[in-house]
Amino acid sequence: MSSHAFYHDHPETLCHQTEVIASQPGRVRLAHSPFFPGGGGQMADRGMLRWQHGELPVTGFEGSGRDQWLVLADPVADITGTVEAVVDPAFRQMMRELHTGTHILNALVFQNFDGALVTGVQMNEDGTARMDFDVPGADNDRLRSLEAPVKDVLRQNLAVTDSYIGIEQAAKEHGLIRSRSVAPPANPDGTIRIVEIRGLDRQACGGTHLAETGTSRPIRILKIENKGRHNRRVRIGLA
């Protein structure tokens, strides 16, 4: 059995039949869940759980890993057997585009601003995202000029792949862990997931991404804000 999350091993599977392994009023645990539960600035998936006697929206997630519970919209009890977990495809696609876009922006800032680290990130349901960078004294016009190379990366349609390495090795490789304060949690086998944009970037991440950069809508830099002496906030949005 894979020690990796189902949504990492099967990123295109958005409708999945699986077994309920535990049930309480208003929540269930599944043998395999296609839902991304949120984290790293990415919002959790939305969707439905369907079973023999009905269906309900999934409204949240509790716990983690194999102990993760899906929280349902109503406290229905006795959901057992085979169910169908259905991820909202439009919302997942938007999050994949935004998360891939933040990696592209992150890579360009890291390369052009002396290895500047991320101090915060948040993707939003309106198709925008913001990234905070530790870039003391950075010229905001220079940051804004990164919109052109971001668009160029999308046009190049670079492959986006993932792999796994040991957490200790990841910590030793410069630039793999790009956030100043947090890192993706390790898998049960002690590995950490690395997302690579072919020829551009390679960094640790636990979110969902596109398979190729060219499948994203155009991305614009909407605003640059000064958030303290060291911090610059870059807001981006999908066209």
Side-chain angles (χ1 to χ4, degrees):
M1 180 180 294
S2 174
S3 63
H4 306 150
F6 182 88
Y7 50 83
H8 286 157
D9 286 347
H10 306 278
E12 305 300 332
T13 300
L14 303 183
C15 184
H16 181 59
Q17 286 194 345
T18 186
E19 298 298 314
V20 173
I21 59 176
S23 177
Q24 296 177 359
R27 63 182 197 155
V28 297
R29 282 173 56 199
L30 304 180
H32 301 103
S33 172
F35 292 100
F36 175 71
Q42 180 177 336
M43 298 179 70
D45 277 332
R46 298 171 179 178
M48 303 286 294
L49 188 75
R50 297 173 179 150
W51 66 100
Q52 184 177 2
H53 302 297
E55 65 176 34
L56 280 173
V58 176
T59 60
F61 304 90
E62 297 176 353
S64 61
R66 302 194 192 283
D67 297 324
Q68 184 183 96
W69 292 84
L70 274 62
V71 180
L72 305 176
D74 289 323
V76 64
D78 300 324
I79 300 176
T80 59
T82 302
V83 297
E84 187 175 56
V86 183
V87 177
D88 180 329
F91 191 78
R92 165 69 76 85
Q93 175 66 16
M94 181 174 69
M95 288 295 113
R96 292 175 76 184
E97 291 178 64
L98 284 174
H99 208 149
T100 304
T102 62
H103 274 233
I104 296 169
L105 176 63
N106 188 343
L108 294 170
V109 171
F110 188 79
Q111 294 166 11
N112 287 277
F113 291 87
D114 301 319
L117 296 179
V118 175
T119 57
V121 58
Q122 182 61 55
M123 291 154 237
N124 306 309
E125 59 186 344
D126 64 355
T128 67
R130 58 98 172 154
M131 295 194 80
D132 293 355
F133 296 98
D134 183 2
V135 280
D139 181 277
N140 288 358
D141 288 336
R142 188 173 163 220
L143 280 167
R144 192 173 290 106
S145 71
L146 294 178
E147 181 174 303
V150 167
K151 290 180 177 179
D152 185 56
V153 171
L154 300 183
R155 283 193 296 268
Q156 291 180 57
N157 197 28
L158 303 179
V160 183
T161 60
D162 65 2
S163 59
Y164 295 85
I165 64 174
I167 183 65
E168 293 183 359
Q169 179 185 349
K172 293 177 182 177
E173 291 194 30
H174 177 67
L176 276 191
I177 298 177
R178 202 71 57 78
S179 172
R180 180 168 292 284
S181 57
V182 297
N187 293 298
D189 62 1
T191 62
I192 193 169
R193 181 169 175 259
I194 305 300
V195 173
E196 179 175 358
I197 301 176
R198 194 70 52 82
L200 175 73
D201 188 51
R202 188 167 177 261
Q203 63 175 285
C205 184
T208 64
H209 301 82
L210 300 171
E212 299 93 16
T213 62
T215 57
S216 174
R217 285 166 284 183
I219 292 172
R220 296 183 57 206
I221 291 181
L222 303 175
K223 191 175 183 180
I224 311 289
E225 299 173 87
N226 295 349
K227 294 291 183 179
R229 186 167 63 90
H230 284 262
N231 199 60
R232 293 294 182 276
R233 176 167 293 174
V234 183
R235 296 188 183 273
I236 64 172
L238 296 170

